[in-house]
Structure formats: C-alpha cells, structure tokens
Amino acid sequence: MTAAPDEFALIAELFAPLSSGYPGALGLTDDAAIIGECAGSEIIITVDAIVAGVHFFSDDPADLVARKLIRVNLSDLAAKGARPFAVLLAAAFPIDVGREWLEGFAAGLRQDLERWGVALIGGDTVATPGPLTLSLTALGRAGPGGMVRRSGGRAGDTLWVSGTIGDGALGLKVLRGELAGLSPDHATALVGRYRLPEPRVELGRELAGLVHAGMDVSDGLDQDLGHLCRASGVAATIEAALVPLSPAARAALLRDRSLLASLLQGGDDYELLFAAPASAEPALRNAATAVGVPITPIGRLAEGEGVRVVDESGAELALSSGGWRHFRGV
Ligand code: ADP
Ligand code: MG
C-alpha cells in the first residue's frame, strides 16, 4: 500500500485538480472561495470541521463546542475582510447524545450567531457510532475592494499579526497536563483561548483595502506563513522576539525556552496574519485602534521562497516539528 500523502499534499495532488474551471476556487489555496457577486460585493464561502478528541475534548461544555465551531469558520471570513451573514451546519451526533447536551449546543450557537448577526440557513443532522463531528459552512460578503487573498503579498511588505500568538497551543498543553507550574490565572487564560478563540471579524473588515494579502493563523504561524508565501510567490523572515505573546505565554516561556517552537507552530491561534506596504502602517494602526485589537509587525516579505525565523542577532532558529497537519503521511 502506498503511504497516504499529508493533508496539504492530499489537497494539492488529489483535490485541487477538481477545482479547475472554477476561478473562484483559487485552486484550493486560500481560506475561502468566491462564489459570486451581490450588490457589488463578492460573496465568499468557507467550511471547517471539528471533531471530538481532535479539536475539543469530548467532555467540553456543549455551548463552548458550538461557539468554537462558529468561530473557527468566522476566522476564515475575517481574514478575507468579509462580513459573515449565514452558516449551514452538518452535525454527526453520537447516538447517545442527550437532549440536555443538544440544548446547550443550540444555546451556544444562538449566542454567537446573534453576536455577529449571522443566520443558520440549513444543514444536515445524522447520528454516528463515532465521535461528535461537526462541519460548518459559512458565507460572507467581502469589502468593496474584493476578498483579501493569500496571494497578494509582495517583496518588501511588512508582515503583521493581530492579538497574541501561541495561547491556544499552550492552552491545549495545560488541558493535557503537559504544562505545569503556571499560575492558576495564566492557566485559565490559556485554556480560555484554546476553547473559545476570538475571530477578528471587525479587524478583518478594517484591514481589507489596506493590505496586500492576508489569512488567518489556525495551523501554526510558521506553517501558515509558508502557505501565504507560496500563494504570493515570495519568501518571509520573521523575528521570533517580535512575535506578540500574552502575559501567560511569556510566563510559560520564561520557565521553559523550548516552548518557543510550540508557540510558533502549535496552531489554534485564530489570529490574522497579513502583509502590507510600509506606507500603510499609520492606517493599519488607526484601524487596529478603532476596533481595539492590537496588531504587531513581526517581519518582512522578500524575493525568493521559504520562511525563516530568526533571533535578535539575525541567526536562523531551527524549528523542527512543522505545524499542525491532520494527515502526516505514514
Ligand atoms: P483553513 O485552515 O484556512 O481552513 P485549510 O488548510 O483547511 O484552510 O485548507 C486549505 C485549502 O484547501 C482551502 O482552500 C480549502 O477549501 C481546501 N480544502 C481543504 N480540504 C479540502 C477537501 N477535502 N476538499 C476540497 N478542498 C479542500
Ligand atoms: Mg484559514
């Protein structure tokens, strides 16, 4: 038997060819596809699935599972500068799921759908002998300049990220009992970021029109930046010391320097990564201030290919494990 390709090779080799003839699919190299235009706005679509035991713990509160499902999808729309307006839910519930759990799940859906003014417009409901598996398809309206692509980055652009990086990955470590010695407040903050990411919907809207390229960071900063670079045909260098960390992540890193790789590669950030010309800096900072989400320059795009992470002296850091992939190939 031939080994299965890893997730990205699988998509590139076996699925991307099936998108040919549909330009809005962007060759399956972006966070969302463009399916049409309505009143001058591009309508874009994205889908993400989450699975018990992979993306959340099977005993996580039902409402938080629902809200994470919505948020990981809204994060993709946010990165494209789009305003979400509708979702479809395909749910495979374990056969023994109870009514109470389902009510909690529906309450969580309601809470976040109302927060972002989004309607549930369809879906499918099945029972499964396996783990709870949820897929959400989300639709959004891009801004006046069209969808922000991964492919627009240019050599010389500054690379920015929103919020802080690495908290979700550390939160997962806390839940797994792999991160001892943190204060209870810090541990709670990290777990909160893992369980309930904050999609940067309002920031994404503000950035559209100012940036050359953007995506959300869901599979690890290092790996996702690699996707942006490939789509844009450029190289990137980021300085590890510039990557914004929360107080909790800083405290964890102080105790154990080797956590740096987890922070940069771990995934579950759901922050925005974007590339913009240096001249856009004042407008970007104004936009970030307007929505109350910090943004930080972390590096630069250049001619070439590949992602380099360097320390303060410019020496390249070797990050060994790569980012999160569902199929690593066997
Ligand atoms: P994201 O992390 O932004 O959700 P992914 O890494 O999951 O993006 O996917 C990368 C690209 O591959 C996207 O364009 C996505 O639509 C596409 N893709 C992923 N899995 C499949 C699949 N099973 N069939 C078709 N397209 C897929
Ligand atoms: Mg994405």
Side-chain angles (χ1 to χ4, degrees):
M1 195 172 74
T2 317
D6 82 18
E7 178 187 346
F8 298 105
L10 172 68
I11 295 166
E13 288 167 22
L14 300 183
F15 296 155
L18 307 179
S19 73
S20 68
Y22 195 92
L26 305 169
L28 307 188
T29 59
D30 213 305
D31 302 276
I34 304 158
I35 54 171
E37 221 179 85
C38 181
S41 298
E42 282 178 346
I43 303 300
I44 73 167
I45 190 164
T46 182
V47 58
D48 259 305
I50 63 173
V51 179
V54 180
H55 301 90
F56 58 94
F57 289 77
S58 41
D59 58 355
D60 276 351
D63 61 321
L64 290 191
V65 173
R67 294 169 72 198
K68 183 165 188 177
L69 175 67
I70 290 180
R71 289 166 179 230
V72 300
N73 276 280
L74 295 195
S75 178
D76 277 319
L77 296 182
K80 307 291 97 183
R83 190 187 302 283
F85 64 89
V87 295
L88 294 96
L89 166 67
F93 295 111
I95 333 188
D96 59 355
V97 70
R99 175 164 182 102
E100 202 185 331
W101 197 96
L102 292 170
E103 283 179 356
F105 180 75
L109 287 180
R110 171 185 289 279
Q111 187 176 345
D112 273 1
L113 291 176
E114 283 182 359
R115 172 169 166 192
W116 281 287
V118 176
L120 175 64
I121 62 165
D124 196 19
T125 305
V126 296
T128 174
L132 173 61
T133 301
L134 302 162
S135 166
L136 197 84
T137 302
L139 291 125
R141 266 184 208 95
M147 184 179 101
V148 173
R149 317 277 182 96
R150 288 184 185 177
S151 57
R154 299 179 203 160
D157 282 353
T158 307
L159 279 168
W160 298 75
V161 287
S162 64
T164 56
I165 295 295
D167 298 321
L170 294 185
L172 177 58
K173 280 187 180 294
V174 171
L175 287 169
R176 286 184 174 154
E178 295 169 5
L179 201 61
L182 280 181
S183 74
D185 282 357
H186 283 161
T188 305
L190 295 173
V191 168
R193 289 267 289 163
Y194 172 74
R195 283 207 170 125
L196 202 57
E198 184 65 34
R200 304 302 190 183
V201 176
E202 296 75 19
L203 178 65
R205 292 282 302 178
E206 293 287 329
L207 297 180
L210 300 176
V211 302
H212 284 158
M215 66 182 299
D216 68 327
V217 184
S218 57
D219 294 332
L221 177 61
D222 184 47
Q223 174 167 274
D224 282 337
L225 177 54
H227 294 316
L228 188 142
C229 284
R230 262 189 299 284
S232 294
V234 294
T237 301
I238 58 173
E239 202 177 305
L242 296 180
V243 174
L245 302 181
S246 67
R250 244 173 234 294
L253 195 59
L254 266 180
R255 296 177 62 90
D256 180 359
R257 281 301 297 173
S258 74
L259 286 173
L260 183 64
S262 308
L263 293 170
L264 300 180
Q265 301 185 306
D268 280 307
D269 294 299
Y270 300 104
E271 293 292 355
L272 302 186
L273 167 68
F274 49 97
S279 59
E281 177 164 350
L284 293 173
R285 291 201 185 274
N286 283 341
T289 304
V291 296
V293 178
I295 58 169
T296 309
I298 59 165
R300 195 166 293 286
L301 296 182
E303 306 283 352
E305 59 181 43
V307 174
R308 287 178 352 116
V309 182
V310 299
D311 66 14
E312 288 99 324
S313 72
E316 189 164 353
L317 299 174
L319 297 173
S320 51
S321 67
W324 176 259
R325 285 162 198 236
H326 285 277
F327 292 95
R328 287 192 170 272
V330 276

